[in-house]
Amino acid sequence: RDEVVMSELPRRRMMLLVNPQSGKGQALSLYNSQIQKMLHEADVLHTLVITERQNHARELVRDKLDLAQWDALVIMSGDGLLFEVINGLLERPDWEEAIRMPLAILPGGSGNALAASVHHYSGSTPVSSEELLTSCGFLLCKGLVSRMDLVSVHLISGPRVFSFLSLAWGFVADVDIESEKYRHVGAARFTVGTLVRLASLRVYRGRLAYLPASLDKCKDQPNQTSSLWPASKMYSFSNDNGCPIPEQNSCHSNNSVKVTRSENGLHRNIPQNPPGPQDSLLPPLDQPVPSNWVVVPEEDFVLVLAMYQSHLAEDLLAAPDSALDDGLIHLFYVKAGTSRAALLRLFLAMEKGAHLTTNCQHLVHAKVRALRLEPHSPKGIITVDGEVVEYGPVQAQVHRGLARLITG
Ligand code: ADP
Ligand code: MG
């Protein structure tokens, strides 16, 4: 019965968003030379949308996207465009449904960390540049949908943002932003930027606190995957029969929907403002952290880096044991006092994910559910998914498996 209904639906398709300015400015030509043919051969219908400016994609998915019309949103750019799309989806009044839209990433930028992570999770040997694009194109055609963690990030003013990759302060954030001027060298911009920053290595003062994952009651569950394509390839995928609906467990803090008893005795869901899930682990930023949080005794850092996926860049395996929806923030920090040589060794080892075994006395790794960072230096850079955000106190908590990503 379902199949009859499905075949009567208009054929749905993917929206493929390309940022023509990303990376070396060649995303569109890579689409034309590689992706278009690949999708055609795999019989994947898609509509190309070329972004015209920053926040174009964010506004499009927030204000104009008809969820029923699309099977997936594919982002061909760096991580920045996906950041826009995820935040646009979560700014919608119907965010709970919208964030279940399967997303996919095709590396077209200079910071392709999520694409590298997806490739890594597929178990393949590391590749870069166009080989990474081919791999991600292939995984996209396979169409297996998995859940992906998102992290909600609160800044001192302005609305919170949702992050899928990283939160950085200190050395890593400075390199990320300073290296934008080397964008023309592609992914190598981070290597160049690291060497430049090492020459002017400095200490960043601040306070760091976190909620260890071991203290939080969230249970580890294996990721559930489902196929984007039905066996018949009739594009009958929908969130109701294809992709697992998030049965959010208690620590998912799905409190943004209030259950009340209506007059006829039935339960109704009344959405609250603003859109997005509630952050039950976070007190207001101007109040102290809860007593079960760990406050890091040191206040002098070289870097603080929170990762939720494996790769920080195409060739930086920063969180080797991270999984797409492990519900964990992998928190790393390097205490002041490390030498330039030790830091260089750390970043060289990170190419293979071996930095945790380099025996760097200054590097600390903790698996956490929430964190707070209060920089004391008056000026500085904080990045979320490689984008600059407001500098100042910041706190974050993970929402396990909130989004959907095509991972092959
Ligand atoms: P890269 O990895 O090369 O930095 P991103 O995908 O991160 O690529 O994109 C960089 C920035 O460009 C993002 O902030 C994104 O919002 C913005 N952007 C998207 N489309 C356009 C466009 N058409 N023109 C200029 N900037 C754009
Ligand atoms: Mg993770």
Side-chain angles (χ1 to χ4, degrees):
R1 188 186 57 90
D2 281 349
E3 277 179 21
V4 175
V5 174
M6 291 305 169
S7 61
E8 285 167 359
L9 285 173
R11 284 188 98 195
R12 291 187 294 155
R13 58 174 73 213
M14 295 185 183
M15 181 189 282
L16 200 158
L17 294 138
V18 178
N19 173 0
Q21 302 296 335
S22 67
K24 302 179 201 168
Q26 57 184 20
L28 202 53
S29 64
L30 286 170
Y31 166 81
N32 286 323
S33 63
Q34 303 211 16
I35 296 303
Q36 191 178 30
K37 186 158 161 261
M38 191 185 261
L39 296 183
H40 179 73
E41 279 168 11
D43 199 22
V44 175
L45 288 179
H46 64 282
T47 298
L48 186 65
V49 175
I50 300 170
T51 61
E52 289 162 12
R53 57 188 159 78
Q54 190 163 36
N55 284 325
H56 179 187
R58 187 178 189 146
E59 290 158 19
L60 177 77
V61 302
R62 185 186 62 207
D63 305 329
K64 301 202 182 87
L65 185 78
D66 175 5
L67 296 178
Q69 206 188 330
W70 306 99
D71 291 302
L73 302 181
V74 183
I75 284 75
M76 184 157 179
S77 185
D79 298 304
L81 196 65
L82 180 60
F83 177 80
E84 280 192 20
V85 166
I86 286 175
N87 280 282
L89 290 172
L90 282 160
E91 283 159 5
R92 294 168 59 112
D94 61 350
W95 63 270
E96 274 187 289
E97 194 197 346
I99 199 60
R100 285 182 214 139
M101 171 70 74
L103 307 171
I105 185 95
L106 294 174
S110 53
N112 302 310
L114 186 66
S117 301
V118 168
H119 174 84
H120 175 71
Y121 301 146
S122 77
S124 314
T125 50
V127 293
S128 61
S129 310
E130 294 194 18
E131 280 176 299
L132 181 62
L133 178 60
T134 310
S135 166
C136 289
F138 179 65
L139 297 172
L140 169 62
C141 292
K142 283 171 76 182
L144 208 63
V145 181
S146 305
R147 295 187 187 190
M148 176 169 72
D149 294 337
L150 293 182
V151 168
S152 129
V153 178
H154 293 244
L155 306 158
I156 194 74
S157 65
R160 64 181 169 168
V161 292
F162 286 88
S163 164
F164 60 91
L165 191 67
S166 62
L167 171 73
W169 174 60
F171 190 88
V172 170
D174 287 0
V175 166
D176 202 351
I177 299 314
E178 286 166 7
S179 72
E180 293 212 328
K181 55 177 175 282
Y182 314 121
R183 189 182 286 268
H184 58 279
V185 302
R189 79 177 221 213
F190 298 105
T191 313
V192 178
T194 298
L195 295 173
V196 172
R197 235 312 114 183
L198 270 177
S200 52
L201 185 62
R202 53 164 284 211
V203 165
Y204 305 79
R205 305 211 78 178
R207 186 177 281 254
L208 178 66
Y210 59 84
L211 173 64
S214 56
L215 292 185
D216 184 59
K217 57 193 182 301
C218 195
K219 289 214 181 62
D220 290 344
Q221 298 163 336
N223 199 338
Q224 294 166 277
T225 54
S226 64
S227 178
L228 187 63
W229 313 121
S232 61
K233 261 225 166 198
M234 280 165 49
Y235 294 85
S236 64
F237 173 85
S238 84
N239 285 324
D240 293 323
N241 59 13
C243 186
I245 306 288
E247 296 299 332
Q248 300 201 340
N249 45 34
S250 58
C251 52
H252 254 124
S253 69
N254 190 19
N255 303 336
S256 49
V257 170
K258 203 159 76 187
V259 178
T260 55
R261 192 172 286 276
S262 67
E263 278 154 0
N264 61 7
L266 296 173
H267 287 92
R268 263 191 337 183
N269 292 334
I270 300 175
Q272 296 173 320
N273 284 328
Q278 216 175 65
D279 296 314
S280 61
L281 299 176
L282 300 177
L285 250 177
D286 58 1
Q287 283 172 29
V289 294
S291 59
N292 61 344
W293 286 41
V294 172
V295 179
V296 174
E298 291 85 5
E299 300 202 345
D300 287 332
F301 300 92
V302 167
L303 67 88
V304 173
L305 174 65
M307 298 280 309
Y308 351 118
Q309 300 306 335
S310 62
H311 281 67
L312 180 60
E314 271 183 42
D315 55 359
L316 288 178
L317 179 47
D321 61 344
S322 170
L324 197 64
D325 84 325
D326 55 14
L328 295 173
I329 298 173
H330 297 256
L331 177 63
F332 301 88
Y333 60 91
V334 173
K335 297 177 274 186
T338 186
S339 67
R340 286 191 177 86
L343 200 60
L344 181 60
R345 269 199 302 278
L346 199 80
F347 277 93
L348 290 175
M350 201 185 278
E351 288 182 20
K352 299 213 157 42
H355 49 296
L356 291 168
T357 54
T358 55
N359 247 336
C360 174
Q361 304 296 314
H362 295 87
L363 173 68
V364 179
H365 173 211
K367 294 176 183 176
V368 313
R369 304 266 188 232
L371 63 92
R372 179 183 288 181
L373 172 68
E374 292 163 283
H376 293 158
S377 322
K379 272 195 211 154
I381 296 174
I382 295 175
T383 59
V384 171
D385 299 352
E387 306 286 310
V388 182
V389 295
E390 180 185 15
Y391 181 75
V394 55
Q395 60 180 5
Q397 89 159 64
V398 66
H399 290 275
R400 187 171 188 177
L402 183 61
R404 302 290 178 274
L405 190 75
I406 300 176
T407 54

